[in-house]
Amino acid sequence: MSFAISCNENSPYVYVACNEIHPTRDSTLAIRIINNGPNVALGPAGPGTIHDSTRNFLTVHPNGHTLVELGNIGALDFLSPDNGLVAAAPTSSLDNTVSGIYLDNGLLFCTMREERNFLKLFKNLDIDVNSKITYDDYKEIPSYKGQDKIRTSLTQKYIGVTIQATDHPTGGLQIYDVDRGTSRFVELTSIGDLAFFSDTKAYVGGSTSVQPIDLTSARPLNPITIGTTYFKVKNVISGYSNQS
């Protein structure tokens, strides 16, 4: 069963994550955009690879040919426009990741599993045709346990990560300034989906409302009540032109 999808304007493929009947592994399919085929079955990254079907664990390098598969066992796939899957390799660098986003400047941000309180940040994590994995830089960004959704603003100035209430009593939104390398945290009582409208405002879905966030001051604005007991907010979408 397919549950997540990712693409990139420089890639000839759309990538689809699938849950398999097999209880200990999942797989990914690459669909050629031109004529919707032929398809390339990437297969499982390795024994024991299990996808988190509540999040989109796929993201594509801005060069378009490298697919990043996050998860308990992370992997990189090199796909050629002409020859399909050329090389694939698991890497321990991506172990215990959940979801991620690759920016146009080559920065890859990865959220972690519930018990970990940091984000992984790579610069130009890539794989070549010979399965050689390289990256220019790596560091860990302090965060919180319970990381959930990850999004970037339209100009990619900010990274936003929603935090479910775990070690932090209320949960909220972590706002990371990409240029400055600094974080701010906005406490929220109800955490759902996340969308950036611009570099000045973000929206976080709650149970029965949507919470605007002023990114300049890192403060919540007046909530927009739109739900009832029988009608709850599920997704918030705004301008996802270059996101998974």
Side-chain angles (χ1 to χ4, degrees):
M1 179 182 69
S2 60
F3 69 90
I5 189 168
S6 186
C7 59
N8 177 286
E9 61 186 357
N10 296 319
S11 173
Y13 298 98
V14 171
Y15 304 97
V16 181
C18 303
N19 287 131
E20 294 209 10
I21 298 176
H22 195 291
T24 60
R25 71 166 183 262
D26 292 320
S27 62
T28 303
L29 182 71
I31 301 174
R32 192 183 296 274
I33 295 174
I34 298 177
N35 299 326
N36 295 323
N39 302 332
V40 179
L42 305 184
T49 302
I50 302 173
H51 299 163
D52 184 338
S53 58
T54 66
R55 302 179 177 97
N56 190 350
F57 73 102
L58 303 174
T59 187
V60 185
H61 191 291
N63 61 25
H65 69 63
T66 299
L67 172 68
V68 181
E69 296 186 74
L70 306 168
N72 62 320
I73 301 174
L76 299 176
D77 304 301
F78 182 103
L79 278 95
S80 164
D82 301 317
N83 301 318
L85 181 63
V86 177
T91 171
S92 60
S93 298
L94 295 176
D95 286 357
N96 298 306
T97 51
V98 177
S99 189
I101 193 162
Y102 225 134
L103 304 188
D104 294 339
N105 62 6
L107 294 179
L108 169 64
F109 291 84
C110 306
T111 58
M112 304 297 293
R113 295 186 178 278
E114 285 76 6
E115 67 275 11
R116 287 168 170 78
N117 61 355
F118 62 91
L119 305 171
K120 287 187 176 182
L121 173 58
F122 295 88
K123 174 70 172 180
N124 283 326
L125 180 66
D126 204 356
I127 181 175
D128 64 20
V129 67
N130 298 312
S131 295
K132 181 180 179 182
I133 297 174
T134 60
Y135 57 86
D136 296 335
D137 193 20
Y138 167 77
K139 68 178 181 179
E140 295 175 356
I141 299 173
S143 184
Y144 305 86
K145 296 179 181 179
Q147 300 159 27
D148 193 8
K149 302 294 189 294
I150 181 170
R151 303 281 190 262
T152 182
S153 62
L154 297 185
T155 67
Q156 303 184 348
K157 174 179 174 59
Y158 294 113
I159 296 293
V161 179
T162 55
I163 306 296
Q164 299 296 329
T166 50
D167 60 342
H168 197 284
T170 63
L173 174 65
Q174 180 178 0
I175 305 169
Y176 181 80
D177 189 310
V178 176
D179 296 329
R180 296 181 179 180
T182 58
S183 289
R184 294 171 295 168
F185 188 76
V186 181
E187 292 187 355
L188 299 171
T189 57
S190 182
I191 314 298
D193 201 11
L194 167 66
F196 281 89
F197 169 71
S198 64
D199 285 337
T200 60
K201 188 179 290 186
Y203 293 87
V204 178
S207 296
T208 58
S209 65
V210 173
Q211 178 67 67
I213 306 293
D214 185 321
L215 298 176
T216 303
S217 62
R219 293 181 179 179
L221 304 173
N222 292 331
I224 304 168
T225 302
I226 60 175
T228 68
T229 303
Y230 306 101
F231 177 81
K232 296 184 180 298
V233 177
K234 183 176 182 181
N235 299 113
V236 184
I237 299 174
S238 176
Y240 283 5
S241 60
N242 197 30
Q243 302 186 47
S244 302

